[in-house]
Amino acid sequence: MDFKEVLEVDDKVILKDVKNFELKDIFDCGQCFRWNETVNNTYIGVAFRKVVEVEKSGNDVIIHNANLNDFNTIWCDYFDLKRDYSEIKKELSKDEILRKSVEFGEGIRLLKQDPFEIVISFITSANNRIPMIKRAINNISKEYGDSIEYKGNTYYTFPTIDQFKKATLEEVEALGVGFRAKYIIDAVEKISNNIYNLEEIKSLNDDECHEALKQFNGIGPKVSDCIMLFSMQKYSAFPVDVWVKRAMQYFYVAPDVSLPKIRIFARDKFGELAGFAQQYLFYYARENKIIT
Ligand code: 8HG
């Protein structure tokens, strides 16, 4: 448990004495696409059909536009607040090399995001850059989701399966997802027709879950690992993209090792904590522009 108590005040909840929680580390470490920093150093995001603004004040975290019921049913889990990240960081820091990345991203927490949204988001992420992915996901939400007003601005929820299934290939292509439009349409169709069931996939063990997700067109090993890690709580996942590959080469292994070999090496080395290790490494490599 990484907070002491929670209070509801007006239209916000206040979490007292929160540990291992830094806004930038959480929202800019690569795991999510719907959070943006404001001029007041808070972050506003849309998740589970709500808009909230998160503020760090001393050791407290304030979630604006939320009540205690939302906290108990959504945000406590979403922010993975019941987990003790000090334990994870202690364990991973036994590895001298990883310690540096853990120190750099000391306030990272792995968000428990919605599987449908994350399937579509990470199909969109293939061979794509994060600002482009964010823009495309926002376009999709604007087109098919619902609008919510907050502090005079309009935000859009990610569409439900029912809202999204009306989309045509041409429409989705026009939203900035490029060649991935056909995979998105295909995934929405298979999920809405219950050919693939995300709750069922989530209930599988880590290796089965990884394989099941790869059955979707447009999902390879790396995208599968991202989906299972960011929305299905499969923490042995180790997505290897170009940044993680560079970090692993830079820190651990000889150059020009294949992506699958790096994945196997890392899962072997970090075991059940591989997914957390990956996030500290991805964030460190990307923010420090590691080049091998
Ligand atoms: O958190 C992430 N980890 C890894 N390994 N890859 C990621 C994350 N987030 C994210 O967007 N990616 C992918 O990296 C998507 C895209 O292919 C690339 C952007 O740097």
Side-chain angles (χ1 to χ4, degrees):
M1 187 96 150
D2 270 356
F3 68 104
K4 214 174 242 163
E5 63 170 326
V6 52
L7 313 167
E8 179 178 322
V9 184
D10 303 325
D11 62 345
K12 54 185 179 276
V13 291
I14 303 174
L15 313 180
K16 305 296 287 180
D17 283 328
V18 186
K19 287 181 293 181
N20 309 308
F21 195 117
E22 293 303 330
L23 303 178
K24 181 172 168 47
D25 297 348
I26 294 171
F27 298 125
D28 290 338
C29 74
Q31 63 180 325
C32 54
F33 303 113
R34 306 224 61 212
W35 288 88
N36 293 300
E37 194 173 11
T38 71
V39 289
N40 303 317
N41 302 113
T42 62
Y43 277 75
I44 296 184
V46 190
F48 292 100
R49 307 185 59 73
K50 307 260 181 198
V51 174
V52 286
E53 178 171 7
V54 185
E55 174 188 353
K56 183 101 196 267
S57 169
N59 290 326
D60 298 345
V61 170
I62 304 166
I63 307 178
H64 297 265
N65 207 25
N67 58 34
L68 209 47
N69 185 52
D70 295 342
F71 178 76
N72 290 326
T73 56
I74 302 173
W75 307 116
C76 186
D77 264 345
Y78 181 80
F79 287 109
D80 199 20
L81 282 162
K82 289 182 193 139
R83 192 182 309 276
D84 180 354
Y85 277 73
S86 303
E87 278 297 310
I88 292 173
K89 295 194 299 187
K90 196 166 117 197
E91 190 58 35
L92 291 178
S93 296
K94 286 181 186 162
D95 181 316
E96 275 299 323
I97 297 173
L98 199 55
R99 176 184 301 184
K100 208 165 148 185
S101 296
V102 170
E103 269 169 21
F104 179 77
E106 50 119 6
I108 287 178
R109 314 184 68 81
L110 287 186
L111 301 173
K112 295 183 179 173
Q113 302 179 76
D114 176 64
F116 176 60
E117 176 174 335
I118 291 301
V119 164
I120 302 302
S121 300
F122 278 91
I123 288 177
T124 306
S125 84
N127 295 315
N128 209 346
R129 293 182 311 110
I130 289 178
M132 303 295 286
I133 306 166
K134 283 177 97 164
R135 195 175 313 159
I137 301 306
N138 193 51
N139 289 343
I140 288 173
S141 304
K142 208 165 173 174
E143 190 69 24
Y144 304 108
D146 294 315
S147 63
I148 303 179
E149 298 291 318
Y150 175 66
K151 285 189 173 171
N153 289 315
T154 309
Y155 298 85
Y156 299 90
T157 61
F158 190 81
T160 62
I161 298 163
D162 271 351
Q163 286 175 321
F164 210 160
K165 73 180 183 201
K166 302 175 196 102
T168 67
L169 182 65
E170 293 70 29
E171 280 170 15
V172 175
E173 264 168 0
L175 298 175
V177 301
F179 68 92
R180 307 161 198 90
K182 56 182 178 295
Y183 302 135
I184 293 174
I185 291 284
D186 190 55
V188 171
E189 198 175 290
K190 290 193 170 127
I191 295 166
S192 76
N193 292 332
N194 211 29
I195 295 169
Y196 297 141
N197 182 312
L198 295 180
E199 278 312 306
E200 244 167 69
I201 294 175
K202 185 176 171 180
S203 74
L204 300 170
N205 73 33
D206 291 27
D207 288 338
E208 291 166 350
C209 179
H210 182 78
E211 290 308 315
L213 287 167
K214 282 197 302 185
Q215 301 301 309
F216 283 92
N217 291 318
I219 300 188
K222 137 72 192 318
V223 168
S224 175
D225 271 340
C226 285
I227 297 167
M228 61 195 270
L229 181 59
F230 301 137
S231 71
M232 297 185 174
Q233 291 89 64
K234 307 298 188 211
Y235 297 108
S236 70
F238 194 87
V240 185
D241 75 306
V242 60
W243 291 112
V244 171
K245 182 170 187 261
R246 283 178 191 164
M248 291 299 283
Q249 286 175 340
Y250 181 78
F251 287 132
Y252 292 103
V253 282
D256 65 76
V257 179
S258 73
L259 263 57
K261 278 199 186 132
I262 291 177
R263 178 172 182 268
I264 291 164
F265 173 86
R267 292 186 80 209
D268 224 40
K269 188 165 182 61
F270 305 121
E272 283 301 302
L273 297 180
F276 298 97
Q278 175 279 151
Q279 212 59 38
Y280 294 111
L281 285 168
F282 179 82
Y283 185 49
Y284 182 90
R286 205 166 154 258
E287 297 281 321
N288 295 290
K289 308 235 178 325
I290 283 191
I291 314 273
T292 47

